[in-house]
Each structure stands twice: as C-alpha cells, then as structure tokens.
Amino acid sequence: MDKPVVAQTSPYGVDVEEGKTYAWCACGESAAQPFCDGSHEDTGFNPVIYKADKTATVFFCGCKQTKDAPLCDGSHSSA
C-alpha cells in the first residue's frame, strides 16, 4: 500500500484529556477512526502517537494527507 485510504474528507473533532496518549490511524483502514485498531498490519503504515498537552478539542486528520500528522492541516480541501 503506497497511499493511505481516505477515511473521510473532513477532520475528526475529538475531546482529548491532558496527559493521555492517543494512536492516530495513518493508513485509513481502522474501523475505529481516527484511532488505530491494528488494521495497518502489512500496509507499510504505522500509527502516529499523540500525547495531549492539555484537555481540549483536537482535530485529527481524516483524509490522511496532512503534513502535520496527526492533526488536520486543511489538506482535505484538495484531497
């Protein structure tokens, strides 16, 4: 797999908790979007670990094209 699957063409708004660690799905195959469920096996992709530095709503990339993984950078506008 050379390109990730576009899970959705908009970001996922997720309430994160300060100090918690999250594993963002980079391959787009996970059924638990935007988080990894292990579906990346044999895809050549690995999850990206995100540690919340504060409790807030964070926008995780859904199109998997972001240059600021795992956060949305607006790439879905051209995906």
Side-chain angles (χ1 to χ4, degrees):
M1 172 179 222
D2 60 337
K3 288 190 168 195
V5 172
V6 175
Q8 74 177 28
T9 56
S10 59
Y12 292 91
V14 177
D15 295 328
V16 298
E17 288 184 46
E18 180 178 356
K20 278 195 158 187
T21 301
Y22 301 85
W24 175 74
C25 169
C27 71
E29 297 278 343
S30 175
Q33 291 294 331
F35 302 116
C36 178
D37 69 0
S39 296
H40 62 273
E41 189 173 325
D42 297 325
T43 66
F45 290 91
N46 290 307
V48 175
I49 303 304
Y50 174 83
K51 185 169 182 179
D53 59 357
K54 63 181 179 178
T55 298
T57 300
V58 172
F59 292 90
F60 289 98
C61 176
C63 73
K64 311 304 179 185
Q65 307 303 310
T66 185
K67 302 289 188 262
D68 191 25
L71 304 179
C72 175
D73 69 357
S75 293
H76 58 274
S77 298
S78 60

